Amino acid sequence: MKIKLSLVAIHLSMMACYSQEVQIQEIEVKDTSLLQESLANSKSVIKLEDEIQAISINDALDKEFFVEFKKTSEYASEPYIRGRGNKGVPVFLEGMRLNAGHDDSTNLFGLSDVAQIDVYRGANGAQLGMGAMSGAIVVKFKEPEFNNSEEFKVSGFANSKYEFLSKDGSTNSLGANLYNNFINFSLSGGVSDYNNYEDGNSNEVLHSQYDTSNFNSSVAIKTSKDSYVYARYMRDRANTQDPTSRTLNTTNNIWTYTDRPNDEAKNYFVGFRKESLAGFNDIDLQYFKNEIHYDIKTKREALIQEQQELFRESKTDGAKLSANKDFENHHLSFATTHSDMYISNGLRNYNYGTN
């Protein structure tokens, strides 16, 4: 490694010695309003109350600048910000990093109980940590609603989305809240089911099926005029197939592909929030726990489909503390997170001789 580094250094110095100065013709930009709007504000906030059709994170981020997805199937894959993805862009569920140990984990939480998504691009993501230099996604849950009296009130929602022609499938979500001046109890969930879709030539795209189920429950108890304690449980499942993984083995002329029939996640949150304390605002103390299981199966388009199976399981425990403080001419934002992750993997190959 030292030799390689030395060679690189010599090569660069020689390039510097023999470099030539080249003058590039100046380009006049007449209208910079769009560029300034998209680049100067390197953080954007998506309010999901205004996006009732946004069931997956793909839908919510569909119109964001410099955010794209590298999958062609309908299921929610990892976002790419400024050309970087595959765990290079952190996805946070409140204070918990969701995709630290797994790829394509954004399909493992529904948006039925999410209030907003913060999108960080470029250097502005540095405040979330070293891994967010190119950007980050922060998903925030809805705040609990309390009444002014002991009388209980009920509120709810129901969303439905259906696609046809090139894509055939539906997504549905619903939720309900029961609350008074002391307690808030919430239940929500959703299901989605998409069949193989068609390409631009009306040909069916194989292995593009996708179905999910999400369930969220939470309870919040008011402890003072501006504070409450809360607990949240989430369980999400996904069954996905990715057509971009389909490859041809020229040796035996057999196509292979991958699917993920049993992706499952469980998330737990317990915390305390207070509007102001000792000169600080928006104090949030949170404990979180995450359990994720993935199955990735490689199959063949042949009489015997089985080829290889990979599973990955992870468990994460952690805590987060955050607060804000306003000065005369400055604003201080403080956040610290500690977490431990344990990952186990397994792999098995199919023996065609013994089946």
Side-chain angles (χ1 to χ4, degrees), residues 179-226:
Y179 60 94
N180 65 0
N181 62 339
F182 177 69
I183 189 171
N184 178 293
F185 182 68
S186 173
L187 288 175
S188 63
V191 295
S192 64
D193 188 5
Y194 285 86
N195 300 320
N196 289 338
Y197 60 81
E198 297 178 355
D199 60 16
N201 298 320
S202 299
N203 297 317
E204 187 179 42
V205 179
L206 298 177
H207 316 301
S208 57
Q209 295 180 345
Y210 165 59
D211 61 83
T212 65
S213 62
N214 311 100
F215 171 76
N216 303 331
S217 65
S218 65
V219 59
I221 300 175
K222 207 165 187 179
T223 55
S224 69
K225 184 178 179 180
D226 66 343

Side-chain angles (χ1 to χ4, degrees), residues 4-5 30 132 149 165 236 246 250 316:
K4 292 183 178 179
L5 290 175
K30 296 182 179 180
S149 66
L165 298 180
D236 306 285
R246 190 170 180 262
T250 56
T316 303

